[in-house]
Amino acid sequence: MATVPDYRWRMAPDGLATRRQLRELGLRPGGQDVAAELLRPRRRRGPLVAYLYRIDRAKPVRSMTPGRTAALAKAMRARRTCPNCRRDAGYCIPRSLGMCVTCDDIRRERSA
């Protein structure tokens, strides 16, 4: 297996970008292998690693189809629906609570 070059933080050459940078340009890696690694040192732990991809080999982002848009809307609706009161909370239900804040407040009042 060939090794990829390592670059220090903010020292990567032009023509390379992270996934997020590609996304801002309206691109995606498109199946290409990692071209390089970007290393950001930290004090007490190992360095943070970001993978870099070649911009010239990147492909445009696929557009959303009506089916994918509907599936995403259904998934977000499920994340907003409280399993206790079955209402749309208007926000994503915190996983730590497992229910909307109103239901959690009622549960705490009953147990106190």
Side-chain angles (χ1 to χ4, degrees):
M1 183 173 148
T3 60
V4 293
D6 295 335
Y7 296 103
R8 291 191 53 82
W9 187 247
R10 297 187 182 184
M11 302 297 266
D14 292 336
L16 297 177
T18 63
R19 282 183 180 268
R20 285 189 180 183
Q21 291 168 337
L22 287 176
R23 189 64 177 208
E24 288 176 4
L25 298 171
L27 301 170
R28 61 186 169 95
Q32 65 173 300
D33 291 331
V34 174
E37 290 181 349
L38 189 65
L39 302 175
R40 181 176 182 198
R42 298 190 291 181
R43 291 181 187 239
R44 294 190 173 98
R45 294 184 276 175
L48 289 174
V49 178
Y51 299 117
L52 300 173
Y53 302 91
R54 290 182 46 175
I55 295 174
D56 59 343
R57 289 188 184 172
K59 295 180 181 177
V61 174
R62 295 183 190 123
S63 59
M64 287 289 281
T65 63
R68 291 171 82 190
T69 303
L72 183 60
K74 184 178 178 182
M76 290 307 293
R77 197 176 323 110
R79 289 182 66 191
R80 291 190 315 262
T81 304
C82 177
N84 286 356
C85 61
R86 309 304 284 164
R87 287 184 293 173
D88 186 340
Y91 54 87
C92 288
I93 304 294
R95 292 179 64 189
S96 59
L97 300 178
M99 60 187 80
C100 67
V101 175
T102 307
C103 288
D104 185 58
D105 290 343
I106 293 169
R107 180 187 59 86
R108 288 179 190 222
E109 287 176 4
R110 288 181 182 165
S111 65

